[in-house]
Every structure is written in C-alpha cells, then in structure tokens.
Amino acid sequence: MATVSMGEGDWRLSEMANGMERSRILTIAASVRAMIADGKEVAPFTVGDFSPDQFEVPDELLTGIIDAVSEGETNYPPAAGLPELRESLSEWMKQKYSLDVGPEGIIVGSGARPVLYASFRLFLEPGDGLAHGVPAWNNHYYVHLNDAIDIPIAGTPESRFLPTAESIEARIKEIRVLILNSPLNPTGTCFTRDELSAICEVVLNENQIREKEGRKPVILVYDQVYSTMTAEHIEHVHPVQVCPEIFDYTITLDAISKSLTGTGLRLGWMALPPALAPPVIALIGHMGAWPARPIQKAAAKLYAKPEILEEYFRDLDQRIAERMIALQSGLSELSEYGVSFVEPEGGIYLTTRFDLFETLGVTTNEEIRQWLLESAGVAIVPFQAFGLEDDTGWFRISVGAVSVSEIIAAMDRLESALMTEFGHEPHA
Ligand SMILES: Cc1ncc(COP(=O)(O)O)c(C=O)c1O
C-alpha cells in the first residue's frame, strides 16, 4: 500500500516503531493546506473531515458539553464509559439496527480508532490473517501494529469496489479477522442486503467447520461509522439484520466523528457480545483512550432522544446530497474527456476516474493528481492511498470541507483546464 515511510529508522527504536508509516492522505492534505495558505484557489476534496463552517455538530451536543463542564464533570470516567451513555447507545443501536448487545456490550473510546485497534488486539495473534477490502481506509496500519498477515481483497468497478462473497470465500481459510466497512471510505458505496448476507454465509460456513475442528473462528469487524449517511434510495444494512446467527462473531464499530460531524470531539464505541467485553475494557483503560467525561455526558442525553438525532441526520443527508448533485452534474459534463464516476450511495465520498493518461502523456495516478491540483485547483486522493496499487486513474473525492458553490467553481476550473489540454470543448 502506498504510504510515506518515516525514513531508514533509528537504531534505538523497535522494529514496530521503525516500520510505522504516516498517512498518505494526511500528507496530501497538508500540502493542499499550504497551497491554500499561499492564496491559491484550491477545492480541498482531500480529507475525510468536516469543515465546521460547512457542517455543524448538533446544538444539543454542544450545550450538553458546556453544561457538563460547568457542572464539574472533570474527573475520570469509568473505563467502559458512563453507564447512562452505554445504556442510550445500546438502546439506539437496538432500535436502529436490530443489534442488541445491551449496555454491557457497549464500550466507548476516544473515537473509532481506539476501539478499532482494541478489536484487532482481542483476536489476532502475530501471524494471523487480517482481511480487508481494497480500496479501504487505513487497515494496513493495523496489520502492522498487530504483526498480522495482510489479506487484501481487491474490489472492482463492477462490485462498486466492495469486496464480494466470492472473493472473500477464496481466502477464507487464511482469515482470522475480516473487517468490512459500509458505507465504504473511500468509495462512498454500500453493501446491499444480498451482498452482505452472502458474505455472512461464507463466514458462518467456515466457522461451522472450524468449530468441529476446534479452531478459532473468523471474526467479522463491521465498521459503520458512516451508517447514518446514506443517499435517498439507499438503506444501510447491519449484518445481524440479514443474518442473525452472525451476532456471536461480530464486533460493530461506530462513532460520532462522521455521523454528528464531530471528528474533533473524539467519541466512538464498540458493540460486541457482552461476554467478550472485559478485556476490551481493560485495554481501553490501560491506554487511557476513553472519551472526555463532558462529551460522554452530552452524548448520553442526545442518544436518548432519537427523534432529535433523526432530524439532524435527515438535514445532514440533505446537505451532503446537494454537494453530491453538484459534483455529479459537473463530472457528467466531462465524460468525453475521460472522466467518469461511481454513483455515490453513502458517506461523504465519491469515486471518480480521470482516464487522462494519453491526453497528458503520463503513466501514473500521482501525475494526474498533480495536474488536477496545479491546472484546475482540484485536490483529490488517488486510490493508492487506500491500497489499490494499479495506476488506473481512480480517485476519492470528499465533500466534507466544501460548499456547493466551491464545487461548482472547481468543476468550471476543471472543464477549462481539460478544454485547454484537449484543445476543444465537449461535444453537445
Ligand atoms: C471507515 C472509517 N473508520 C474509522 C475512522 C476513524 O474514525 P475516528 O475519527 O472516530 O477515529 C474513519 C475516519 O476517517 C473511517 O473513515
């Protein structure tokens, strides 16, 4: 997977530390920020973050945080999370996704990352297989941190870049943990009921065989941090909704980072069969990776009011949709220049292809990325940053930090740059 290595390393450090990599996405985003600071007109389609100027967290959450601080809620929270928060999150997940782990099956962390890390530590021994789709967000860092064997499962445009049951089945014997993400970062695509149910079948069949042989099962880690963000005609599906028997083998990850646009507030959680919870609680406690007490207090109140949340989600989906419509209409105009996209289904991402290799006389996605940035002020991330190594012209566009008018302006700049490069206007 393409990442930026931290150099040769330092003899004083462990192998793990020397092998640690920086996020390629964040490296690109930092260079884009520098261009904007220099006064260049650039649309920042790079980061999976929200600009607070474009997307606000719910008022109730902010008031709740301020109230909690004023009331002196400043001491250590319990390692698993405040009981009222575990209660309201478990009830919310039960109502919304038919996932009933009870309050004792909910463990909170400072964002999705600590609980993601904990969910791998729970199951993986060094040398165990960690399978994930590609393109996908950041999984290979966790492969490294756990000394696991990387099992990348490549998606294709035909599968909307999602891993399929067939491609998972082909590697199932080697898999100890399978992580799935829907809506998927970076592609903005979601599993349908049928697709997810076929994957659950593959996992359950394999686990039946392993049980007979006394071997450890395949664990499904389901990362649904964008679950509340779906396009109008799309339904988010949780594995237990299509295959209740998968419950015993499923760890669910969620967070307010995306669903409430509160990336900087740091609250995420894991939902798992309660019998598996004690070591996770200890690990989160040892890392001190629990969310601050005021955000826990505020979220506990908000998640106990699903009607306020639903209204917020509806409004957010609407605002994401406005941006996606502007993008799609701009990109559709450019089809004869070799520009195409996959229809967005969820999250804040759109998958687009710039097949400009011949026109620009280049061979890599990186060269296309630089041309888009310099000639059109369009900053996007190539799929190599998400583990898809082929130079086939695929990129992620994120709409979390841009307004509709910025998108329209960026599409105009792009059209002019392409017209200049191709030497003609698009045909009607
Ligand atoms: C699919 C996915 N999972 C997890 C995370 C991490 O979320 P958090 O910021 O809550 O740690 C991200 C962040 O971009 C993500 O895209």
Side-chain angles (χ1 to χ4, degrees):
M1 183 173 291
T3 44
V4 179
S5 151
M6 285 188 164
E8 291 297 293
D10 186 305
W11 66 275
R12 291 168 297 184
L13 291 172
S14 68
E15 251 179 66
M16 189 279 282
N18 273 328
M20 202 94 83
E21 293 165 327
R22 256 188 304 151
S23 157
R24 167 100 181 261
I25 309 166
L26 297 184
T27 309
I28 293 175
S31 72
V32 169
R33 267 200 303 278
M35 283 178 76
I36 294 173
D38 268 1
K40 298 235 165 60
E41 206 180 353
V42 179
F45 291 123
T46 42
V47 281
D49 197 0
F50 296 91
S51 154
D53 297 338
Q54 300 294 331
F55 295 99
E56 312 83 30
V57 302
D59 287 342
E60 291 76 6
L61 195 66
L62 292 183
T63 322
I65 295 171
I66 293 164
D67 288 350
V69 174
S70 323
E71 286 157 15
E73 295 285 352
T74 53
N75 56 321
Y76 281 131
L82 291 175
E84 63 266 39
L85 176 58
R86 297 173 78 195
E87 178 71 47
S88 55
L89 288 175
S90 76
E91 191 54 32
W92 181 74
M93 294 198 92
K94 184 166 96 182
Q95 297 306 329
K96 199 157 172 74
Y97 303 116
S98 314
L99 177 67
D100 187 5
V101 293
E104 58 292 351
I106 299 280
I107 297 157
V108 301
S110 51
R113 285 169 175 88
V115 284
L116 180 59
Y117 176 67
S119 57
F120 293 140
R121 289 314 300 245
L122 268 189
F123 302 104
L124 289 170
E125 309 287 356
D128 279 347
L130 172 48
H132 55 86
V134 284
W137 171 86
N138 275 10
N139 294 308
H140 83 298
Y141 302 126
Y142 295 96
V143 171
H144 172 71
L145 284 174
N146 287 285
D147 215 359
I149 303 287
D150 196 18
I151 307 181
I153 299 191
T156 58
E158 294 69 42
S159 71
R160 304 174 334 280
F161 289 105
L162 291 157
T164 61
E166 295 73 45
S167 54
I168 292 168
E169 193 167 26
R171 306 289 304 264
I172 194 73
K173 296 284 170 209
E174 306 154 70
I175 300 175
R176 174 72 165 105
V177 173
L178 167 66
I179 178 160
L180 299 178
N181 167 220
S182 182
L184 179 63
N185 177 7
T187 59
T189 53
C190 305
F191 288 116
T192 63
R193 283 182 167 256
D194 288 351
E195 287 164 345
L196 195 55
S197 138
I199 293 174
C200 292
E201 281 292 293
V202 170
V203 171
L204 283 179
N205 288 342
E206 174 65 14
N207 284 351
Q208 267 174 12
I209 298 171
R210 290 195 193 180
E211 196 178 342
K212 282 192 201 121
E213 294 172 354
R215 288 165 52 223
K216 292 195 192 283
V218 178
I219 297 293
L220 174 59
V221 176
Y222 197 63
D223 178 343
Q224 56 163 29
V225 296
Y226 300 93
S227 60
T228 59
M229 303 172 153
T230 46
E232 213 183 349
H233 56 290
I234 300 291
E235 157 198 43
H236 171 77
V237 191
H238 186 279
V240 299
Q241 291 172 312
V242 289
C243 180
E245 305 84 357
I246 203 80
F247 177 90
D248 287 341
Y249 307 106
T250 303
I251 311 292
T252 306
L253 307 177
D254 215 324
I256 65 162
S257 306
K258 311 294 168 161
S259 55
L260 303 183
T261 74
T263 48
L265 295 175
R266 309 313 300 147
L267 171 65
W269 62 94
M270 173 194 282
L272 81 175
L276 304 178
V280 191
I281 298 172
L283 180 58
I284 296 284
H286 298 325
M287 292 194 294
W290 49 77
R293 207 174 166 101
I295 179 67
Q296 294 201 36
K297 280 270 167 195
K301 280 193 199 149
L302 183 55
Y303 276 85
K305 293 181 193 146
E307 52 311 327
I308 296 185
L309 279 175
E310 285 306 318
E311 199 182 317
Y312 178 84
F313 297 144
R314 266 195 302 276
D315 177 61
L316 187 57
D317 279 356
Q318 174 62 32
R319 295 202 276 154
I320 293 169
E322 285 163 9
R323 286 161 176 78
M324 288 300 180
I325 288 166
L327 254 183
Q328 290 176 87
S329 104
L331 294 171
S332 310
E333 298 286 309
L334 306 174
S335 57
E336 71 176 79
Y337 293 135
V339 181
S340 56
F341 60 88
V342 176
E343 197 161 321
E345 298 172 334
I348 50 171
Y349 307 112
L350 180 137
T351 292
T352 179
R353 184 164 191 226
F354 288 97
D355 185 2
L356 301 177
F357 297 100
E358 232 173 82
T359 315
L360 300 178
V362 299
T363 54
T364 65
N365 285 3
E366 178 54 21
E367 288 163 298
I368 294 177
R369 181 188 80 78
Q370 283 185 8
W371 180 84
L372 290 166
L373 185 60
E374 280 150 27
S375 308
V378 167
I380 56 179
V381 184
F383 268 14
Q384 273 92 351
F386 307 101
L388 207 69
E389 295 299 345
D390 307 340
D391 280 300
T392 41
W394 289 101
F395 293 83
R396 178 187 86 171
I397 294 187
S398 168
V399 298
V402 287
S403 63
V404 171
S405 56
E406 278 175 291
I407 295 173
I408 294 171
M411 292 298 109
D412 287 348
R413 288 196 300 274
L414 183 55
E415 183 167 9
S416 308
L418 286 167
M419 250 155 56
T420 310
E421 207 61 43
F422 275 78
H424 67 79
E425 293 190 15
H427 301 294

